[in-house]
Amino acid sequence: MPGLTEKQLKGAFEMFDADGSGAIDNEELMLAMKGLGWDVSKEDLAGMLAGIDSDSNGLVEYSEFEKMIRAKESSMDSDAEIQRAFELFGNGALTTSDFVAVHKELGMEADVDKINAFIEAASNGGNQVTLAQWAAVMNEMKGK
């Protein structure tokens, strides 16, 4: 699962730094996290902020924001995140038609041969991928 590019990260930061001060406050940070697709509670956000606010000014400068987002990205392969990604494709076991449907939903052309090859490899020769097999592939991709 690729992370955000530097340009995407900088753009997200600048979008929420409305006054151009080079720093965002807690509320702006919460909006930034939601804008990046992460639902974070105020308590979790306070904990993250305490860990990255190196100058203890209660504001998040870009370098602190980048450090926090990169840490969040690296922790995204938890079992819950892997399961959530699996469930985006379907429930139970994933088949070729599940992968094709997601490709179409995203406006992408599905290469059925590549999908079938992935399913066969992930499932040890089967025709569907279970959550356990999906998790094994995701962890392997991250080098775990």
Side-chain angles (χ1 to χ4, degrees):
M1 289 183 224
L4 296 169
T5 66
E6 181 70 23
K7 184 177 180 179
Q8 290 170 323
L9 196 56
K10 189 77 168 163
F13 182 83
E14 290 172 353
M15 182 170 61
F16 293 101
D17 179 19
D19 62 0
S21 67
I24 56 178
D25 63 25
N26 275 357
E27 288 182 25
E28 293 169 325
L29 182 57
M30 178 72 81
L31 289 173
M33 297 294 281
K34 288 186 184 212
L36 293 170
W38 294 316
D39 190 24
V40 179
S41 71
K42 287 184 180 185
E43 295 78 23
D44 288 343
L45 188 66
M48 285 188 267
L49 183 57
I52 62 154
D53 189 12
S54 57
D55 56 10
S56 301
N57 66 355
L59 298 172
V60 177
E61 288 81 22
Y62 179 74
S63 62
E64 295 167 335
F65 178 76
E66 181 180 29
K67 181 179 175 183
M68 182 182 67
I69 296 302
R70 296 297 181 213
K72 177 81 173 146
E73 285 178 332
S74 69
S75 70
M76 286 188 64
D77 281 334
S78 69
D79 291 340
E81 293 290 338
I82 289 172
Q83 183 170 351
R84 204 171 318 167
F86 179 83
E87 289 170 352
L88 289 175
F89 287 92
N91 289 310
L94 304 179
T95 64
T96 302
S97 61
D98 294 320
F99 286 98
V100 169
V102 169
H103 276 79
K104 285 183 181 177
E105 191 173 313
L106 296 174
M108 299 169 62
E109 188 173 327
D111 184 328
V112 175
D113 290 334
K114 286 183 180 178
I115 292 170
N116 286 334
F118 168 79
I119 291 172
E120 188 175 321
S123 65
N124 298 317
N127 61 0
Q128 57 187 14
V129 178
T130 65
L131 175 57
Q133 292 163 334
W134 175 266
V137 169
M138 294 297 108
N139 286 326
E140 185 176 316
M141 288 173 63
K142 288 296 284 183
K144 288 187 173 185

